[in-house]
Amino acid sequence: MKFNKPATSIDDQIALLRRRGMVVNDEATARHYLGHISYYRLRAYWLPFEVPAADGDHALTPDTRFEDVLALYVFDRQLRLMVMDAVERVEVAIRAQWAHHMAMTYGAHGYLEQAHYGHVTRHAAAVADLTKEFKRSRDTFAEHYRAKYSSPKLPPVWMAAEVMSFGLLSKFLGDLKLRGDRQAIARPFGLDEKVLTSFAHHMSHVRNICAHHGRLWNRRFTIRMAVPKSPAKLAVALRGADDRYLHNTLVMLDHLLTIVAPDTEWRERLVDHLATCPLPAPAAMGFPGGWQNRQAWRVG
């Protein structure tokens, strides 16, 4: 089937929304945000208001206002910023633990030795990706290393940890052959290595969604994190939650933040933010019933 939909002007976009049942009280405001956010991006935020139409087209629940859609968009944007704030601190901590363990156990460049990894082809692909990322880096330390040292071509592990993407780091971590290595890296976070490596992979996916300004609040994830059995308080916090949605990610980020940033008030800010959503956001984010009464979400 050949795509043949024509482009639509902003005035026509507003007319289309009105035909489908959206209340647009302030055309100037609607025109401004459709121009600066775009119809296609905002469309993801009026989908929760859609209902089947008799003619097979799209329709919206009665009294759906453009302001409601915009409020949901703003809620999600602020949620992404909060998640990115947490991810940044947790990511830096995982990088630090991986680099320190590998350096102290195998030396500055031991992380490049294939013998420490479980899959030859995966390791080779990871090293090839790191080589590209290191060549592209314009960080002062990277340029200094390339100018001063001819061998090895790649930098020591503590530099590599700063150059590689978090997705690539999760591959190096997850492919370590010895469970003892993975466990040593996971131990400071109070997690089993399977949980940490799974969450690192999942978190890199969440990070990419946030970095590209994607919809987060009701996203159904294809890359899930493993549900931990310990510590007990974490297992209880996740019980009954839908692991395809954001709830478990938020609980895990909060758990890790209490370790890497003990004075954080991230949970308090998150709970306050959830209360501002114009829709029942927790249900769409995989929160279990009665989540407010669980110890993991109590504040104050």
Side-chain angles (χ1 to χ4, degrees):
M1 181 178 180
K2 185 176 180 179
F3 182 88
N4 59 5
K5 290 184 179 180
T8 307
S9 70
I10 289 178
D11 286 342
D12 286 344
Q13 291 171 12
I14 293 173
L16 177 61
L17 290 173
R18 281 175 164 160
R19 283 201 304 274
R20 291 175 173 175
M22 185 175 291
V23 177
V24 182
N25 292 315
D26 188 337
E27 278 197 26
T29 296
R31 191 175 294 109
H32 173 85
Y33 284 109
L34 287 168
H36 290 279
I37 298 174
S38 89
Y39 180 100
Y40 193 77
R41 180 176 291 273
L42 281 174
R43 182 178 182 274
Y45 298 93
W46 64 65
L47 282 177
F49 299 95
E50 284 196 356
V51 293
D55 60 1
D57 195 4
H58 301 277
L60 298 165
T61 55
D63 300 321
T64 298
R65 302 180 307 153
F66 185 83
E67 292 86 349
D68 298 330
V69 174
L70 187 61
L72 186 56
Y73 172 83
V74 171
F75 169 83
D76 191 46
R77 181 178 64 82
Q78 293 172 340
L79 178 65
R80 283 196 305 272
L81 293 174
M82 294 185 68
V83 169
M84 278 296 284
D85 175 48
V87 165
E88 185 253 337
R89 285 181 282 180
V90 171
E91 176 185 331
V92 167
I94 295 175
R95 287 178 186 271
Q97 290 296 331
W98 173 77
H100 183 71
H101 173 77
M102 296 302 290
M104 299 303 294
T105 307
Y106 300 114
H109 286 87
Y111 76 103
L112 296 171
E113 296 174 13
Q114 195 281 320
H116 303 316
Y117 300 90
H119 302 86
V120 175
T121 54
R122 289 183 193 172
H123 179 255
V127 171
D129 287 343
L130 175 59
T131 301
K132 294 176 185 176
E133 292 181 8
F134 183 60
K135 286 180 178 178
R136 287 196 300 264
S137 176
R138 292 297 176 262
D139 282 314
T140 301
F141 67 84
E143 293 185 336
H144 173 75
Y145 184 89
R146 291 194 298 263
K148 186 171 182 178
Y149 302 103
S150 59
S151 180
K153 293 293 186 183
L154 287 172
V157 64
W158 51 86
M159 291 185 190
E162 299 303 316
V163 170
M164 65 176 62
S165 68
F166 188 64
L168 183 55
L169 175 69
S170 72
K171 293 177 182 178
F172 272 97
L173 172 61
D175 198 36
L176 283 170
K177 181 184 293 185
L178 296 181
R179 184 173 185 270
D181 286 331
R182 301 190 302 273
Q183 200 74 321
I185 296 166
R187 191 173 297 115
F189 302 109
L191 298 173
D192 180 77
E193 54 88 12
K194 290 183 179 178
V195 174
L196 182 67
T197 55
S198 167
F199 184 66
H201 184 45
H202 169 74
M203 192 171 76
S204 70
H205 179 59
V206 173
R207 185 189 191 281
N208 287 340
I209 292 170
C210 293
H212 291 90
H213 325 301
R215 191 188 79 260
L216 186 64
W217 73 284
N218 66 344
R219 169 85 61 169
R220 181 171 175 167
F221 296 113
T222 54
I223 299 175
R224 309 184 199 181
M225 51 166 276
V227 178
K229 297 179 180 178
S230 63
K233 65 178 183 179
L234 193 54
V236 169
L238 300 178
R239 186 179 301 155
D242 191 329
D243 66 357
R244 298 169 297 177
Y245 295 92
L246 190 62
H247 172 270
N248 287 9
T249 313
L250 298 175
V251 171
M252 186 67 80
L253 285 172
D254 179 64
H255 166 76
L256 293 169
L257 277 177
T258 60
I259 294 171
V260 305
D263 295 328
T264 182
E265 296 180 348
W266 187 80
R267 184 196 305 173
E268 288 81 357
R269 291 189 292 115
L270 178 61
V271 171
D272 287 345
H273 184 57
L274 291 174
T276 70
C277 186
L279 288 179
M285 295 162 67
F287 279 63
W291 64 273
Q292 303 95 326
N293 300 319
R294 295 192 178 189
Q295 184 64 39
W297 290 109
R298 291 179 187 168
V299 296

